[in-house]
Amino acid sequence: MSLYDLIITKRTVRRFKQDPIPDEIVSRIMEAARQAPSGANIQPLKYMVIKTADMCKKVFENTGWAGYLKGEGTPKEGEQPVLYVVILVDTQIRNDGAKHDCGAAAQNMMLAAWEEGIGSCWIGSLKRDNLVNVLGIDERYVIDTVIAFGYSDEQVVSEDAKGDIKYYRDENMVHHVPKRTLAELILKSF
Ligand SMILES: Cc1cc2nc3c(=O)[nH]c(=O)nc-3n(C[C@H](O)[C@H](O)[C@H](O)COP(=O)(O)O)c2cc1C
């Protein structure tokens, strides 16, 4: 797929096959994070990579899924992520203002994964204090977000929003993501 097609087709996935992700692909995903742009090239981000089944389970317990679906969007046993990357800000390198770095690194990782057919869900809804304990995170690091990965086992489609932007699942369990139209987004064009 072209880069453009990867960007256009990459949707948030919340149901995953249980096949493990090969280490070479995990390395490619992390290299994509490393090569992301960074304000003033300060590079304050650090990462934790979680692959083992027992640690994945512990991370999963501290993540929140698909708020609009009221519990229905939480992956069930057998469809949960098989890889997590925790994005951390190293406050000894940069104390604040790393949000844009986090966004760029996150999207790079998710696109690199999608090129391999690996879906992802970027997760901001976290029990951060629990994760600090579970992962033994030193206080110099602040958790930004977590990205969950796994081979996609879900059909997700984008569509033009007609007022409501809440995503929903239809009777066939297809996940629909309403996107505001370009006519609404582009305020002026000179
Ligand atoms: C910063 C950020 C945080 C997010 N946090 C969560 C989350 O905690 N749980 C979740 O299920 N989805 C989360 N998402 C995924 C969004 O719900 C998703 O991007 C949105 O519904 C649009 O769908 P799409 O990514 O397929 O275009 C998050 C997305 C972003 C950008």
Side-chain angles (χ1 to χ4, degrees):
M1 243 193 272
S2 70
L3 176 59
Y4 184 76
D5 287 345
L6 287 170
I7 290 168
I8 297 296
T9 59
K10 191 209 81 65
R11 300 264 68 81
T12 293
V13 168
R14 297 186 179 86
R15 283 180 284 155
F16 305 94
K17 294 177 184 155
Q18 297 303 287
D19 307 322
I21 298 174
D23 284 344
E24 315 84 76
I25 295 180
V26 177
S27 297
R28 278 173 67 85
I29 292 170
M30 298 318 300
E31 181 65 15
R34 184 171 87 98
Q35 297 295 344
S38 171
N41 203 27
I42 291 172
Q43 302 170 68
L45 305 186
K46 302 285 170 69
Y47 303 94
M48 288 193 182
V49 179
I50 293 101
K51 296 187 279 192
T52 59
D54 61 325
M55 287 305 288
C56 280
K57 190 170 182 314
K58 287 181 184 163
V59 171
F60 177 76
E61 285 163 359
N62 293 295
T63 52
W65 295 77
Y68 293 141
L69 301 186
K70 300 183 173 33
E72 289 303 304
T74 304
K76 299 182 175 48
E77 200 81 37
E79 41 182 52
Q80 293 170 6
V82 297
L83 169 72
Y84 293 89
V85 175
V86 181
I87 304 177
L88 300 159
V89 179
D90 186 339
T91 60
Q92 289 187 9
I93 297 179
R94 183 164 189 165
N95 203 20
D96 62 6
K99 278 278 169 206
H100 300 300
D101 286 30
C102 292
Q107 184 75 350
N108 267 16
M109 284 189 271
M110 293 189 289
L111 286 172
W114 186 230
E115 187 182 23
E116 308 289 340
I118 295 166
S120 56
C121 183
W122 194 357
I123 303 179
S125 170
L126 299 166
K127 292 179 186 158
R128 286 181 164 73
D129 290 346
N130 289 359
L131 280 177
V132 165
N133 289 329
V134 162
L135 299 169
I137 299 174
D138 188 275
E139 61 185 19
R140 73 183 266 190
Y141 305 107
V142 172
I143 299 174
D144 176 71
T145 42
V146 170
I147 306 180
F149 295 94
Y151 288 96
S152 176
D153 201 13
E154 179 173 31
Q155 197 190 342
V156 187
V157 294
S158 156
E159 62 194 25
D160 289 352
K162 295 180 185 68
D164 196 356
I165 48 69
K166 291 193 181 81
Y167 49 75
Y168 61 96
R169 277 187 188 168
D170 66 22
E171 60 281 7
N172 298 316
M173 291 288 277
V174 176
H175 184 97
H176 294 252
V177 183
K179 296 281 183 188
R180 297 190 202 280
T181 61
L182 273 186
E184 202 180 340
L185 300 189
I186 300 176
L187 296 184
K188 284 188 185 180
S189 223
F190 296 99

